[in-house]
């Protein structure tokens, strides 16, 4: 019994290899990173290098796995592209693999939830038979647009048709990155739901209550 | 603990309407707390800058009770920006009324909104818009993944929308015009309340500048849009009376 379990004071020294292994592993990591940075490879490859490293020494992964974990949230987009690559490292594949679904999970759950409000949004209380307003021409950077708008009796915008629109808009948009998507759709049904906010000259509170913004605030 | 996707708030502050729509999936309490911090900040700023409040720093400066250089750093920051704008707009933007009293209101609203919106970002909210009297700072996108779309009010009838603008992520839009409060904008050059335009909107990354450019560009009239184009990433949408 006493032979099986050495007393605390005289614990046998670990072998030389075990003692040196952490240092060797860390050096390998460092050298790997430096050489990768020297080369023309991107940072994402650096992560795979870290990932394959634990395969060399299964004793150390606890310290090394911490590295990809801390970098994972920062490099989310690269992680998702990385996910298929670390097929080689079996133990190291796990941290990357768990990070990837976490990143994709959020949009996936978000999508179905949003689908409901959008279809539910057309809370148009009445048919599209209210005021028809042909606007004067609105001048903007790429030319002149003129619209015809129609509202329901409850003053919800339900129809916008374009009476006038610059033809060169498409090319203009490509020239300038910051070109604004100003537009009006022939598609009627979703249009009032599309507007999420109203911009205008400063309102008095009373005028505001009647304005579209109040409608938008009150929508579910 | 009620987690929701859409959070909407509306209140009256700074003499106008404030709306906050949040499209983040988060606890209602978090959204509520963020909204309260916004309203509180706007209230504090109003106490400092309102010309309608007797004890505000602006009122005291106008009455000669407080020297501008003794004012709080926020007031100095605002007048610093106003001074730059006066030069940049060649006098079209002015923080003084024709009678000489200080009135930086044309700048404060956008500036205050941008400061308030910073609070939302600090509290971890990513997708929202904050509207103070039609000046809107956005962040991220709608829950549907679309950009925030903002309708520009018809200057001749504020219950109707003239056109729709999709706001690039993180950008802001501000509109100046004669519509709602009568002709509240005066021309710094001619000391007259005149513009050939009905409404002038500016879209850009910072609401404080978009708001100021809208105010100045509206006064400039027909060449306001090209002036705004001179500023990187800022764009104007002008609506004129003639069709």
């Amino acid at each position: 019994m006493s032979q099986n379990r050495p007393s605390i004071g005289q614990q046998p020294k670990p072998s030389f290899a075990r003692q040196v292994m952490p240092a060797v592993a860390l050096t390998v990591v460092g050298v790997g990173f430096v050489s990768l940075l020297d080369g023309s490879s991107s940072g994402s490859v650096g992560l795979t290098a870290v990932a394959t490293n634990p395969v060399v020494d299964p004793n150390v992964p606890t310290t090394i796995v911490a590295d990809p974990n801390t970098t994972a949230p920062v490099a989310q987009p690269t992680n998702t592209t990385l996910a298929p690559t670390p097929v080689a490292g079996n133990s190291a594949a796990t941290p990357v693999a768990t990070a990837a679904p976490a990143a994709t999970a959020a949009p996936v759950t978000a999508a179905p939830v949003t689908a409901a409000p959008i279809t539910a949004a057309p809370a148009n209380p009445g048919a599209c038979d209210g005021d028809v307003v042909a606007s004067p021409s609105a001048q903007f950077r790429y030319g002149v647009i003129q619209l015809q708008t129609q509202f329901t009796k409850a003053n919800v915008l339900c129809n916008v048709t374009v009476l006038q629109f610059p033809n060169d808009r498409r090319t203009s948009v490509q020239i300038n990155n910051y070109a604004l998507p100003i537009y009006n759709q022939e598609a009627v049904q979703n249009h009032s739901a599309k507007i999420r906010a109203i911009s205008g000259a400063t309102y008095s509170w009373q005028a505001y209550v009647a304005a579209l913004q109040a409608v938008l605030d009150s929508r579910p | 603990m009620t987690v929701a996707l859409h959070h909407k708030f509306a209140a009256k502050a700074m003499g106008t309407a404030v709306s906050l729509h949040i499209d983040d999936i988060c606890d209602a309490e978090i959204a509520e707390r963020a909204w309260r911090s916004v309203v509180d900040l706007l209230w504090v700023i109003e106490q400092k800058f309102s010309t309608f409040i007797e004890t505000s720093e602006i009122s005291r400066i106008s009455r000669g009770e407080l020297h501008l250089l003794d004012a709080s750093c926020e007031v100095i920051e605002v007048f610093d920006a106003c001074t730059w704008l006066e030069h940049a707009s060649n006098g079209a933007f002015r923080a003084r009324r024709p009678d000489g009293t200080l009135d930086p209101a044309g700048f404060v609203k956008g500036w205050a909104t941008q400061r308030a919106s910073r609070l939302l970002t600090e509290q971890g909210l990513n997708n929202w818009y904050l509207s103070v009297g039609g000046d809107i700072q956005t962040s991220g996108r709608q829950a549907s993944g679309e950009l925030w779309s903002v309708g520009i009010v018809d200057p001749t009838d504020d219950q109707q929308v003239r056109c729709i603008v999709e706001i690039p992520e993180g950008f802001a839009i501000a509109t100046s015009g004669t519509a709602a409060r009568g002709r509240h904008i005066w021309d710094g050059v001619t000391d007259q309340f005149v513009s050939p335009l009905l409404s002038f909107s500016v879209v850009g990354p910072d609401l404080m500048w978009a708001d100021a450019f809208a105010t100045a560009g509206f006064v400039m009239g027909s060449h306001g849009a090209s002036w705004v184009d001179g500023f990187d990433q800022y764009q104007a949408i002008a609506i004129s009376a003639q069709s």
Side-chain angles (χ1 to χ4, degrees):
Chain A
M1 196 189 197
S2 59
Q3 281 177 345
N4 285 347
R5 189 173 58 84
S7 71
I8 296 160
Q10 39 178 225
Q11 199 153 10
K13 264 193 159 187
S15 71
F16 179 73
R18 273 184 86 96
Q19 277 183 305
V20 176
M21 195 55 81
V24 171
L26 286 172
T27 314
V28 169
V29 171
V31 170
F33 259 111
V34 168
S35 64
L36 278 167
L37 289 173
D38 278 349
S40 62
S41 52
S42 66
S44 59
V45 188
L47 282 180
T48 52
V50 174
T52 50
N53 202 35
V55 183
V56 177
D57 174 21
N59 288 329
V60 201
T62 43
T63 56
I64 288 185
V65 168
D67 273 338
N69 265 346
T70 48
T71 52
V74 186
Q76 265 179 3
T78 42
N79 258 344
T80 47
T81 55
L82 256 186
T85 12
V87 183
N90 20 357
S91 67
T94 40
V96 183
T98 50
T104 53
V108 167
T109 52
V113 184
T114 60
I118 286 173
T119 49
N124 293 357
C128 197
D129 57 357
D131 298 338
V132 178
V133 183
S135 73
S137 307
Q139 193 186 8
F140 71 111
R141 184 169 181 156
Y142 300 106
V144 176
I145 57 174
Q146 190 180 20
L147 318 175
Q148 188 176 51
T149 54
Q150 189 168 21
F151 292 78
T152 66
K153 294 281 193 272
N155 265 328
V156 176
L157 183 70
C158 56
N159 186 6
V160 176
T161 36
V162 183
L163 302 180
Q164 217 183 97
F165 212 84
N167 294 326
D168 59 340
R169 179 170 170 269
R170 196 166 294 276
T171 49
S172 303
V173 167
Q174 285 167 349
I175 289 166
N176 187 337
N177 278 336
Y178 305 110
L180 299 173
I182 307 171
Y183 68 99
N184 325 273
Q185 291 177 325
E186 285 79 359
V188 176
Q189 71 274 24
N190 269 343
H191 210 92
S192 62
K194 222 173 154 46
I195 299 177
R196 293 298 302 274
I198 297 300
S199 183
T202 317
Y203 304 124
S204 68
W205 175 250
Q206 287 80 6
Y208 169 81
V209 170
L212 282 166
Q213 180 68 53
V215 178
L216 298 171
D217 288 344
S218 64
R219 276 204 200 132
Chain B
M1 172 107 170
T2 44
V3 177
L5 181 60
H6 299 285
H7 308 268
K8 298 188 179 184
F9 306 95
K12 185 184 176 184
M14 302 190 80
T16 184
V18 182
S19 303
L20 172 64
H21 290 205
I22 301 171
D23 265 19
D24 279 326
I25 303 173
C26 70
D27 193 280
E29 264 178 44
I30 293 171
E32 177 82 34
R33 199 184 314 139
W35 164 243
R36 249 182 283 129
S37 68
V38 165
V39 173
D40 288 350
L41 178 70
L42 292 177
W43 187 84
V44 168
I45 291 176
E46 187 180 6
Q47 299 306 305
K48 263 191 187 138
F49 286 94
S50 175
T51 52
F52 300 105
I53 296 174
E54 288 274 300
T55 53
S56 73
E57 285 190 37
I58 296 299
S59 298
R60 289 171 62 208
I61 292 169
S62 283
R63 287 198 303 268
E65 295 170 18
L66 181 71
H67 193 279
L68 184 56
L69 294 179
D70 294 327
S72 62
C73 56
E74 287 92 350
V75 172
I76 291 174
E77 182 187 328
V78 163
F79 276 101
D80 201 23
C82 285
T83 307
W84 179 81
L85 276 162
E86 286 175 356
H87 287 285
S89 67
N90 207 13
F93 180 95
R94 260 170 62 170
R96 277 168 205 279
R97 295 208 186 112
D99 61 9
T101 52
L102 291 173
D103 185 6
F107 183 78
V108 167
K109 188 160 62 106
W111 174 82
T113 309
Q114 193 175 342
R115 281 180 81 102
S117 67
R118 233 180 272 158
L119 294 176
L120 299 172
T121 306
E122 282 168 9
Q123 289 174 66
L125 298 171
N126 294 320
N127 300 289
W128 46 262
Y129 80 80
L130 174 63
S131 165
V132 177
D135 292 350
I136 296 163
Q137 176 73 52
T138 75
S139 173
R141 288 165 175 258
Q142 301 186 41
S144 60
E146 293 170 287
L147 295 168
W148 291 104
S149 45
V150 173
I152 295 178
V153 169
D154 190 321
T156 57
D157 180 354
D158 64 12
Q159 296 192 34
Q160 288 168 5
V161 166
R162 178 65 69 82
C163 64
I164 296 157
V165 183
E166 285 199 343
I167 310 295
E169 275 187 61
F171 272 42
I173 180 169
T175 302
S176 272
T178 53
R181 273 189 187 163
R183 309 200 125 187
H184 66 289
I185 293 175
W186 71 92
D187 184 340
V189 178
T190 60
D191 273 358
Q192 283 180 331
F193 294 82
V194 166
S195 174
L197 301 176
L198 292 176
S199 125
F200 192 87
S201 304
V202 174
V203 179
D206 281 331
L207 182 55
M208 54 191 266
W209 299 123
D211 185 27
F213 293 164
T215 307
F218 179 74
V219 171
M220 290 179 181
S222 46
H223 67 280
S226 56
W227 176 73
V228 169
D229 268 355
F231 297 97
D232 193 26
Q233 303 190 18
Y234 288 86
Q235 279 199 348
I237 304 153
I239 299 176
S240 55
Q242 74 271 26
S243 53

